[in-house]
Amino acid sequence: MTLRRRKITVVGAGNVGASAALYLAERELGDVALVDVVEGIPEGKGLDLLQYGPVGRFDSRVTGSQDSRLMEGSDVVVVTAGVARKPGMTRLDLLQTNARIIQSVAKNIQAHAPDAIVIVITNPLDVMTYLLWKLTGFPAHRVVGQAGVLDGARFSAFIAQELDVSVEDISTLVLGGHGDDMVPLVRYTTVSGIPLADLLPADRITALVDRARNGGAEIVKLLKTGSAYYAPAASGVQMVEAVVKDKKRILACSAHLSGQYGLSDVYIGVPVVLGGGGVEKIIELKLTDAERAALHNSAKIYKEAIADALKVVA
Ligand code: NAD
C-alpha cells in the first residue's frame, strides 16, 4: 500500500487565501494548490511559500496557477475568492459581485474536484455557502462555511483580555449568520469550565458580545482598504485540520439545515461534528425562546439574501 499526501486547494490567493495557504503548509496538513484569476499572483505567492519550506521546516509542496485544473485530486477546497468589505459596507453589500465569482468557482470545483469537501470563506458567508452547495450539486455534508470559529475566536480573545487569562481556557459558541445578527451563546461560554456569568458582570459581558459582533467591522475601519485575514484564514484552517485528521471536532459552522432548529433550505451557523466525512452531524441544542427567536431572525435575513443571490446567477 502506498499512502499519499492530502491535497488542499485554496481558491483566491488574496489576503485570506494566501494566509490560509501559509498556515496549511506550516502545519503540513497536505500539499497546497493556490488558484486565482490574476496572472502571476498564485504562481508568485506559491513559489514564495515553497521557498519558505526549508526555513519553516515543512515539506508541504505549494504550487499556484490561474488554471483551475490545478485543483484536480483535491481532498479539500477552501474558497476565499471574492471581494472584501471596505469601510461603511456590510457583508451583504458584497452579494452581487461575489455571487458571480462563486458561480464560476463552483463550476471549476464541479469539473476538477468533484469529490472534495468544500469550506467556504467568501462573504456574505451563509449566502455564498448556500450558493456553492446549490451550484455544485454536492451533498450538503460536503459543503460547509466558516464563520462561527472566527466569531467565537473574537469573543474568546476579548474575554481573555478582559479577565487577563489564557485564551486556551476559553470555550464559547456563536450561532446564527456571519453578520450583525450573529447569536453569541453566553450560557455556553466558559472559562476552564466556569460559566462566564460567574466571572464577569452582565454589563461587561454585553460589551464584549457587542465588540465580538462588530469585530470584523472594527478591523475594516482600521485597515480602510480591506478586511481581516489572519484570524479568518486560521479559522478556516482549523476546519481543514478537523477534516483531514478526521478529528470529529464540534465547531460552529455554517451548515445546511433541513428541519433542524425548525429551519430548512438555508445555511446558518450551528454546532456540527466536523470530520473526515465533512459535516458528520448537526447538533441540535435546546435553545431558550430568545435564542431561538434570534436564530430565526438571522435565518430570515439570509433566506431573503439567498433568493437575491439565486437571481444573480440565474
Ligand atoms: P482579497 O481581495 O485580498 O482576495 C480575494 C482574491 O480573490 C483576489 O486575489 C482575487 O483575484 C480572487 N478572485 C476573484 N475572483 C476569482 C475567481 N473567480 N477565481 C479565483 N480567484 C478569484 O480579499 P480577502 O481579504 O482575501 O477576502 C476574501 C473573501 O473572504 C471576501 O469575500 C471577504 O469578505 C471574505 N472574508 C470572510 C471571512 C469569514 O469569516 N467568513 C473573514 C474575512 C474575509
Side-chain angles (χ1 to χ4, degrees), residues 103-309:
Q103 186 174 27
S104 101
V105 171
K107 211 168 124 210
N108 291 333
I109 293 174
Q110 202 181 35
H112 305 298
D115 300 320
I117 289 172
V118 184
I119 296 171
V120 181
I121 301 190
T122 304
N123 275 320
L125 188 272
D126 306 275
V127 186
M128 295 302 122
T129 311
Y130 180 99
L131 205 57
L132 195 129
W133 163 71
K134 192 85 178 170
L135 296 172
T136 53
F138 284 8
H141 67 91
R142 279 209 278 125
V143 180
V144 59
Q146 187 296 117
V149 175
L150 173 64
D151 297 329
R154 285 179 171 151
F155 191 29
S156 299
F158 298 142
I159 293 167
Q161 205 175 33
E162 175 92 6
L163 292 173
D164 193 21
V165 298
S166 168
V167 290
E168 287 182 37
D169 291 328
I170 298 172
S171 176
T172 186
L173 190 57
V174 179
L175 305 191
H178 186 47
D180 306 340
D181 50 290
M182 70 179 72
V183 188
L185 292 185
V186 174
R187 96 197 146 83
Y188 287 110
T189 302
T190 58
V191 183
S192 212
I194 307 162
L196 185 62
D198 290 359
L199 297 170
L200 277 178
D203 62 328
R204 285 310 305 152
I205 294 177
T206 305
L208 299 182
V209 165
D210 284 347
R211 193 167 176 205
R213 201 172 260 143
N214 297 310
E218 185 178 350
I219 293 172
V220 170
K221 207 167 156 197
L222 290 165
L223 295 179
K224 297 180 186 70
T225 54
S227 57
Y229 47 99
Y230 298 123
S235 302
V237 168
Q238 186 173 76
M239 290 171 64
V240 175
E241 184 180 39
V243 171
V244 299
K245 294 187 177 172
D246 189 26
K247 283 177 79 83
K248 304 194 190 298
R249 292 212 52 193
I250 296 180
L251 298 173
C253 299
S254 186
H256 184 265
L257 298 189
S258 49
Q260 300 91 339
Y261 293 95
L263 295 165
S264 55
D265 202 31
V266 68
Y267 265 81
I268 202 89
V270 289
V272 308
V273 175
L274 196 65
V279 175
E280 298 184 355
K281 190 177 173 191
I282 290 173
I283 295 174
E284 237 181 310
L285 302 171
K286 220 168 175 258
L287 299 181
T288 64
D289 288 347
E291 289 162 352
R292 194 178 163 86
L295 185 65
H296 277 243
N297 171 53
S298 186
K300 186 168 174 277
I301 293 169
Y302 293 103
K303 276 201 161 204
E304 285 166 14
I306 285 167
D308 290 343

